[in-house]
Amino acid sequence: MAGDAVWLPSDEDEAPPDPAARTAELRGFGRRALIVAVLWGLFAGSVFVGLIVYGHGMDPRPLVLSWILGLCLLTAAGFALLASLRWRRRHRAVLRTGWRAASVTVRPDYPVRTLRHLPDLLVDYRDGSRAELRASVSTHGSTYLWHQPGRPAWVGGSGPDMVVLFARGDRRRPYAVPAFGRRSRTEPNGR
């Protein structure tokens, strides 16, 4: 897409180890989230079926707690379904753009706003350009990576559908962190 150049530099030779497998993993994250959504939905359904079958003549206090439990489980299923859809969009974006080598510094948002837990990801591409991303809400958090500035990584996707793959050593798979663009890429001379 035309807007991809706003977030990523031109195509480079250096890609993550086995880039096709790393991109396919993103699809796997979406499938895993979908399975979790289905399981949460089944648990919620069983609570509601139990309420319908056994709810007549129950003490009101456990009845209300059971309804609250069912609604909480249904909400969890909705969030897991949303996560599944977001991973699918990220997978498509990375298929379109590919991966770009970069060094990434994780800047946690504390002590200013300790309750947000969404760190900024400062990306320095190999061509000297820079971009600022923000980690998305996910179980794939990046706050614990703050201790190593300039960490080797690969960035794929564009705009709201980006992924940062952090290198974790020679024998371990890179760690995927979902992100969204916060400030678009600036050229080395400040453009």
Side-chain angles (χ1 to χ4, degrees), residues 23-152:
T23 305
E25 265 181 13
L26 302 179
R27 185 74 173 152
F29 293 148
R31 287 184 180 129
R32 188 179 320 148
L34 182 61
I35 290 169
V36 169
V38 168
L39 289 174
W40 283 124
L42 289 174
F43 293 149
S46 67
V47 168
F48 290 130
V49 167
L51 283 170
I52 291 169
V53 172
Y54 299 110
H56 302 291
M58 268 181 79
D59 185 27
R61 192 172 301 162
L63 189 65
V64 169
L65 291 176
S66 297
W67 276 103
I68 291 172
L69 174 65
L71 292 174
C72 289
L73 290 171
L74 206 54
T75 302
F79 280 120
L81 184 62
L82 181 64
S84 173
L85 296 174
R86 293 295 307 198
W87 276 113
R88 182 182 172 117
R89 285 182 55 175
R90 290 182 193 107
H91 175 255
R92 287 182 182 166
V94 171
L95 281 176
R96 187 181 68 245
T97 63
W99 297 102
R100 306 295 191 279
S103 59
V104 178
T105 300
V106 177
R107 184 177 64 196
D109 196 34
Y110 55 83
V112 178
R113 288 178 274 184
T114 57
L115 298 177
R116 199 187 60 172
H117 302 295
L118 295 176
D120 292 330
L121 306 172
L122 308 175
V123 180
D124 292 316
Y125 292 108
R126 301 286 162 96
D127 67 353
S129 62
R130 308 180 97 183
E132 187 174 326
L133 312 178
R134 176 154 292 157
S136 296
V137 176
S138 175
T139 57
H140 291 258
S142 62
T143 303
Y144 76 93
L145 300 169
W146 69 270
H147 66 280
Q148 185 182 357
R151 189 180 187 103

Side-chain angles (χ1 to χ4, degrees), residues 4-5 7-12 100-101 125-127 129 185:
D4 294 343
W7 300 106
L8 299 172
S10 61
D11 201 7
E12 299 175 355
R100 306 295 191 279
Y125 292 108
R126 301 286 162 96
D127 67 353
S129 62
R185 188 173 65 90

